[in-house]
Amino acid sequence: MDEALPGFGSLPITSKQEALWDTHASTRHITGEVEAPVAHVHVEAPVIHMDRTFDYLIPARLDSSAVIGARVHVDVGSQRMNGFIVGRDSVTERSGKLRELRRVISPIAVLTPQIYHLARRLASQRAGSLSDVLRLAIPGRHARAEAAFRESVRPVHSPPQPPVPGRWEAYSGGGDFIRELACGASPSACCVALPGVAGSTSLLAVAAQAVLASGRQVVLTFPTARHAERMAAALEKLFPSRVALLLSESTQEKRYTQFLRALSGDAQIVVGTRASIWAPVPALGLLIVVDDASPHMREQRAPYCHVRDVAVERAKIEGAGVLLFSAYLSEASAHMCARGHVSLLRGIEAAVASSAPRISSPQEWRGEESSWARLPDAAFSLVRTSLDRGPVLVVVPRAGYIPHLTCEACRRQAECPICGGRLAIDGPTSQPTCTRCGWHGIFRCPECGGAKLRSARIGSHRTAEEIGKAFPGVGIILSGARAAEGIVETVDSRPRIVVATPGAEPVAEGGFAAGLILDTPYLRGEGLGGNTQFLRLLSRALTRVRPARAGGHVLLAGGVEEEIVRALNRWDHVSLAELLLSEREALLLPPTQRWLEIRGEVEDLRRFLGVARSLLQQSRVAHCAEELSGSGAHTHSHIAHEPEDREVSASGQSLLSGGIRLLSPHVALLGPSRRDKGQAVYLRYSHEDSQWIGPALCAAHRQYSATGMGGSLRFELDPEL
């Protein structure tokens, strides 16, 4: 294969080292002061090539405390590092004299075999460091919290009675799902929650009770601390002293205490944010992930794991079930359903009819000509007629007064002349001010020289002001992170207007009489996931409104496709998700294919790709040999059709040539493309081939780091494109 790739020139050729491929290190038995004197310690190293296990001799004074999973302090070369004991026996592959363990930091086995296995698998899939994964999984030790926990008296809990499925019967297969959990089975499902009480989090309490009835534990992960705290409080009332709240926002002492409660089995229900997905409960029965498409569900630090992916991998290792619970269906969840990894739980027709509100667009109203007006006449008619029956919800995409300004002449976004930040107006008497550095002064458009500004978007504060003028004497409540009262959790059934930003919609007693969603096009996010985010934000607001049978009505103002309106009236999120998934499948985009993003400087990327190409070829040979020896006949894994290579410039050396090339058989290379810092390339391969491609790329990263070929690289699997 030609060693030149457009955008990178000639890749460096690395030695394949065939002679070393099948060579195994020799082992020797060690006799020490104690039984099983060799501790295999995985050190928390700052570089990936040092991220491995080292062998140490256990002195007699540390025999009782040096248990598998304990946190220890060891010498590595001239450095002292922390690590975890991941094995203990009398065998080593080291030829020289073993160093002694320096210190056992804590005799508590905080790293369980299951979490260690999970961390290794995730690191291998993402070409990342195991230490980075363990940093996410295990909180830092807090001596005072540990001492208090060891002295505490932990109660003994008896399993509750199996629950009646109740509202789960409104979902196709929902009753069977609960009964299987109560019997000790581990079903996995994706539930498209219905609006109102039929899709409330009380369903999760029933699922948790079913798992507890089988003698197992359950973990519930929410996108924000606010939602997790609310759910934990509700579960604590039902199951006193059995609930642990594990939040990354908590103090180190509190988080470590809750971690130890989960580890010991004292807490049979663990509720929290991203960190809770790693809770090391002794007998895991079910992992519940709520709102899986939320941006908060992806870790912001290496290796950038998504909670959904962690849950799926952990369930495989521990034989547990997974429940993805949301009022919509993400493309990733739809893909899992299509592949048969999870079953789909959706509302039956009668349940949809009794729980979903009526949804309309302005053009459906008599006398309304434009569907794109921000506040059409239909909006005022809906609010006016609904206030007699209860509160009305108004959702505005952006907070503030006028959060987005443009030049009146050329429509260019108004930017700060000092730092380039966005200009906004904070109040009716405020001047345009930079949202980044606080500059305010005379605006002059750099494009056309214009000095006048126009509002491009209206915020929640300005909307509340306009609606208040249209409905004098009616109470107005603002709900949002930037509102004076913050996010309002609940409101009573008195007639009033609640203006909220997405995600800050309160729960109304008996449901809102009507809903008005303004500027609906601005609810769409950026990138490939924009449509899913649009449906996610819409669905959250729709679930707050009463059923159509009780007069509930939601108006989508600002322009929305009629196909979406019709699907939402049927609460048919499945067809919407399948349509989006089919579009991604046609383009070989995630989640239908694996995409590994690699960021760095061009020369560093070139060196890494050279190593990766060599190791991928070796790994493919070994993989084919394993298949031949295992089945007796060569079995091809599914290979997605690769589009023909795009034409490049005559020289083939332009860094911006782009296109698609094969890095090796089964692995397509896309890019490079510019990023804020350096360049980015993408490696694309099938889910079936990821079993051997992931470890090969991880090995390439280790070799690249060990030989000091270049600067640091950033790896992210299935990023937001």
Side-chain angles (χ1 to χ4, degrees), residues 20 66 128 131 148 166 173 201 277 301 307-308 344 346 350 362 496 502 531 573 602 610 616 664 692 700:
L20 299 180
S131 295
T201 51
I277 199 65
R301 298 178 294 174
V307 168
R308 179 183 53 244
L344 178 64
R346 59 192 303 185
R496 61 183 69 187
N531 287 322
H573 288 275
V602 172
L616 283 169
S664 73
W692 61 271

Short mmCIF file of all heavy atoms in Angstrom, two decimals, residues 20 66 128 131 148 166 173 201 277 301 307-308 344 346 350 362 496 502 531 573 602 610 616 664 692 700:
data_model
loop_
_atom_site.label_atom_id
_atom_site.label_comp_id
_atom_site.label_asym_id
_atom_site.label_seq_id
_atom_site.Cartn_x
_atom_site.Cartn_y
_atom_site.Cartn_z
N LEU A 20 8.68 -10.46 17.39
CA LEU A 20 8.23 -10.25 18.76
C LEU A 20 6.74 -10.48 18.93
O LEU A 20 6.23 -10.45 20.05
CB LEU A 20 8.56 -8.81 19.19
CG LEU A 20 10.05 -8.43 19.18
CD1 LEU A 20 10.20 -6.98 19.63
CD2 LEU A 20 10.86 -9.34 20.08
N ALA A 66 -2.85 -5.14 52.24
CA ALA A 66 -2.59 -5.11 50.79
C ALA A 66 -3.56 -6.05 50.09
O ALA A 66 -3.19 -7.11 49.57
CB ALA A 66 -1.14 -5.50 50.50
N GLY A 128 -7.23 5.31 24.85
CA GLY A 128 -6.94 6.21 25.96
C GLY A 128 -6.20 5.54 27.09
O GLY A 128 -5.79 4.37 27.02
N SER A 131 -5.70 5.13 33.47
CA SER A 131 -5.67 6.03 34.62
C SER A 131 -6.72 7.13 34.48
O SER A 131 -7.33 7.54 35.48
CB SER A 131 -4.28 6.65 34.78
OG SER A 131 -3.32 5.67 35.08
N ALA A 148 -15.06 7.76 59.67
CA ALA A 148 -16.44 7.83 60.17
C ALA A 148 -17.27 6.69 59.61
O ALA A 148 -18.11 6.11 60.32
CB ALA A 148 -17.06 9.18 59.79
N GLY A 166 -48.44 -1.41 37.51
CA GLY A 166 -49.17 -0.14 37.52
C GLY A 166 -49.09 0.60 36.20
O GLY A 166 -49.52 0.10 35.15
N GLY A 173 -45.10 -3.99 26.46
CA GLY A 173 -44.00 -4.73 27.08
C GLY A 173 -43.58 -4.19 28.43
O GLY A 173 -42.68 -4.76 29.06
N THR A 201 -41.44 10.25 36.71
CA THR A 201 -40.35 9.46 37.29
C THR A 201 -40.85 8.46 38.33
O THR A 201 -40.05 7.68 38.84
CB THR A 201 -39.31 10.39 37.93
OG1 THR A 201 -39.97 11.31 38.82
CG2 THR A 201 -38.56 11.18 36.87
N ILE A 277 -22.71 6.60 37.46
CA ILE A 277 -22.74 5.43 36.59
C ILE A 277 -21.64 4.44 36.96
O ILE A 277 -21.69 3.26 36.62
CB ILE A 277 -22.61 5.85 35.10
CG1 ILE A 277 -23.09 4.73 34.17
CG2 ILE A 277 -21.19 6.25 34.77
CD1 ILE A 277 -24.55 4.42 34.28
N ARG A 301 -13.84 15.39 30.27
CA ARG A 301 -12.41 15.09 30.38
C ARG A 301 -12.12 13.76 29.69
O ARG A 301 -13.01 12.94 29.50
CB ARG A 301 -12.00 15.01 31.86
CG ARG A 301 -12.19 16.31 32.64
CD ARG A 301 -11.81 16.12 34.10
NE ARG A 301 -12.72 15.21 34.77
CZ ARG A 301 -12.54 14.78 36.02
NH1 ARG A 301 -11.48 15.17 36.70
NH2 ARG A 301 -13.42 13.96 36.57
N VAL A 307 -22.29 8.53 29.15
CA VAL A 307 -22.91 7.70 30.18
C VAL A 307 -23.60 6.49 29.57
O VAL A 307 -23.53 5.38 30.11
CB VAL A 307 -23.90 8.54 31.01
CG1 VAL A 307 -24.77 7.65 31.89
CG2 VAL A 307 -23.15 9.55 31.87
N ARG A 308 -24.27 6.69 28.45
CA ARG A 308 -24.98 5.58 27.80
C ARG A 308 -24.01 4.46 27.42
O ARG A 308 -24.29 3.28 27.63
CB ARG A 308 -25.71 6.10 26.56
CG ARG A 308 -26.46 5.03 25.78
CD ARG A 308 -27.10 5.63 24.54
NE ARG A 308 -26.12 6.35 23.74
CZ ARG A 308 -26.16 7.67 23.50
NH1 ARG A 308 -27.12 8.41 23.97
NH2 ARG A 308 -25.22 8.25 22.77
N LEU A 344 -37.85 -2.03 22.85
CA LEU A 344 -38.47 -0.71 22.81
C LEU A 344 -39.79 -0.74 23.59
O LEU A 344 -40.66 -1.56 23.31
CB LEU A 344 -38.72 -0.28 21.37
CG LEU A 344 -39.41 1.07 21.17
CD1 LEU A 344 -38.55 2.20 21.70
CD2 LEU A 344 -39.72 1.29 19.70
N ARG A 346 -42.90 1.57 24.26
CA ARG A 346 -43.60 2.77 23.82
C ARG A 346 -45.06 2.70 24.27
O ARG A 346 -45.62 1.63 24.45
CB ARG A 346 -43.51 2.93 22.31
CG ARG A 346 -44.10 1.78 21.55
CD ARG A 346 -43.75 1.80 20.06
NE ARG A 346 -44.18 3.03 19.40
CZ ARG A 346 -44.07 3.24 18.10
NH1 ARG A 346 -43.51 2.30 17.33
NH2 ARG A 346 -44.47 4.37 17.56
N ALA A 350 -54.10 3.72 23.34
CA ALA A 350 -55.06 4.28 24.29
C ALA A 350 -54.36 5.19 25.29
O ALA A 350 -54.90 6.24 25.69
CB ALA A 350 -55.79 3.16 25.02
N PRO A 362 -49.30 27.73 13.91
CA PRO A 362 -50.20 28.87 13.68
C PRO A 362 -51.07 28.76 12.44
O PRO A 362 -52.22 29.22 12.44
CB PRO A 362 -49.22 30.05 13.57
CG PRO A 362 -48.05 29.64 14.37
CD PRO A 362 -47.92 28.17 14.15
N ARG A 496 -51.98 31.94 35.75
CA ARG A 496 -50.80 32.80 35.64
C ARG A 496 -50.02 32.38 34.42
O ARG A 496 -50.29 31.33 33.83
CB ARG A 496 -49.94 32.70 36.90
CG ARG A 496 -49.39 31.31 37.15
CD ARG A 496 -48.60 31.24 38.44
NE ARG A 496 -49.46 31.39 39.60
CZ ARG A 496 -49.00 31.51 40.84
NH1 ARG A 496 -47.69 31.53 41.05
NH2 ARG A 496 -49.82 31.61 41.85
N PRO A 502 -35.61 26.71 28.01
CA PRO A 502 -35.59 25.25 27.91
C PRO A 502 -34.84 24.60 29.07
O PRO A 502 -33.74 25.02 29.43
CB PRO A 502 -34.87 25.00 26.58
CG PRO A 502 -35.16 26.23 25.78
CD PRO A 502 -35.15 27.36 26.76
N ASN A 531 -31.20 18.05 15.35
CA ASN A 531 -32.61 17.64 15.28
C ASN A 531 -33.03 16.88 16.53
O ASN A 531 -34.16 17.04 17.02
CB ASN A 531 -32.85 16.78 14.04
CG ASN A 531 -32.85 17.61 12.77
OD1 ASN A 531 -33.33 18.73 12.75
ND2 ASN A 531 -32.28 17.05 11.71
N HIS A 573 -42.33 9.30 18.46
CA HIS A 573 -40.91 9.64 18.41
C HIS A 573 -40.10 8.56 17.71
O HIS A 573 -38.99 8.82 17.24
CB HIS A 573 -40.37 9.85 19.82
CG HIS A 573 -40.84 11.12 20.46
ND1 HIS A 573 -40.21 12.33 20.27
CD2 HIS A 573 -41.89 11.38 21.28
CE1 HIS A 573 -40.84 13.27 20.95
NE2 HIS A 573 -41.86 12.73 21.56
N VAL A 602 -0.30 18.80 12.75
CA VAL A 602 -0.26 17.98 11.54
C VAL A 602 0.89 16.98 11.56
O VAL A 602 0.71 15.80 11.26
CB VAL A 602 -0.16 18.88 10.30
CG1 VAL A 602 0.07 18.04 9.04
CG2 VAL A 602 -1.43 19.70 10.14
N GLY A 610 1.27 6.79 10.94
CA GLY A 610 2.24 5.81 10.47
C GLY A 610 2.32 4.61 11.40
O GLY A 610 2.36 3.45 10.96
N LEU A 616 -2.26 -1.75 12.81
CA LEU A 616 -3.54 -2.23 12.31
C LEU A 616 -3.35 -3.40 11.37
O LEU A 616 -4.12 -4.37 11.39
CB LEU A 616 -4.28 -1.09 11.59
CG LEU A 616 -4.95 -0.05 12.49
CD1 LEU A 616 -5.42 1.14 11.66
CD2 LEU A 616 -6.14 -0.68 13.23
N SER A 664 -5.99 1.58 6.39
CA SER A 664 -5.70 0.15 6.24
C SER A 664 -7.03 -0.52 5.92
O SER A 664 -8.08 0.11 6.04
CB SER A 664 -5.10 -0.41 7.54
OG SER A 664 -6.10 -0.53 8.52
N TRP A 692 -11.18 -5.47 17.41
CA TRP A 692 -9.72 -5.59 17.25
C TRP A 692 -9.08 -4.29 16.81
O TRP A 692 -7.87 -4.07 17.05
CB TRP A 692 -9.39 -6.69 16.23
CG TRP A 692 -9.93 -6.48 14.84
CD1 TRP A 692 -11.13 -6.87 14.36
CD2 TRP A 692 -9.25 -5.85 13.74
NE1 TRP A 692 -11.28 -6.51 13.04
CE2 TRP A 692 -10.13 -5.88 12.63
CE3 TRP A 692 -8.01 -5.24 13.59
CZ2 TRP A 692 -9.80 -5.34 11.39
CZ3 TRP A 692 -7.67 -4.71 12.35
CH2 TRP A 692 -8.56 -4.75 11.28
N ALA A 700 -1.04 1.62 19.34
CA ALA A 700 -0.33 2.63 18.55
C ALA A 700 -0.12 3.90 19.36
O ALA A 700 0.95 4.53 19.28
CB ALA A 700 -1.13 2.94 17.29
#
